[in-house]
Amino acid sequence: MMFWFDHDVSGWGWFAMSASMILFWALIITVAVLLFRALNRAPEHTHVSARPSAEQLLAERFARGDIDEEDYQRRLAALRSSGPAKP
């Protein structure tokens, strides 16, 4: 039975085997590094901060000077007398 290359690998065969081995190990190392980075990444904060309450918004308007103290007190009393807002 005859074999290709007569049981011998030519120069191109050695080159192809060497290049494929280097590419194989580069791929394995790259996957390992990417996996390590993905697993050690700090968790991102995805929660949205709560919306400010009506009293906080009113206090901000008063602090900016949009409304005067009398208006602030009147609106604050109205908010507190109506109870908590229902969504």
Side-chain angles (χ1 to χ4, degrees):
M1 178 177 230
M2 290 188 64
F3 294 98
W4 288 354
F5 305 115
D6 195 27
H7 297 293
D8 191 20
V9 178
S10 69
W12 287 110
W14 284 107
F15 174 76
M17 285 193 303
S18 299
S20 63
M21 184 58 70
I22 290 170
L23 289 175
F24 171 77
W25 284 111
L27 178 67
I28 296 295
I29 292 170
T30 301
V31 168
V33 168
L34 291 176
L35 184 63
F36 179 76
R37 288 173 126 187
L39 293 176
N40 286 333
R41 182 178 302 167
E44 297 177 10
H45 294 25
T46 57
H47 70 281
V48 178
S49 61
R51 290 179 31 194
S53 68
E55 288 184 18
Q56 290 172 333
L57 290 173
L58 185 62
E60 288 176 12
R61 288 185 62 198
F62 177 61
R64 284 194 308 258
D66 293 344
I67 56 176
D68 61 357
E69 185 177 1
E70 180 184 320
D71 198 20
Y72 171 73
Q73 293 296 337
R74 184 175 49 81
R75 290 176 188 226
L76 185 61
L79 282 174
R80 289 184 177 166
S81 68
S82 66
K86 295 180 184 173

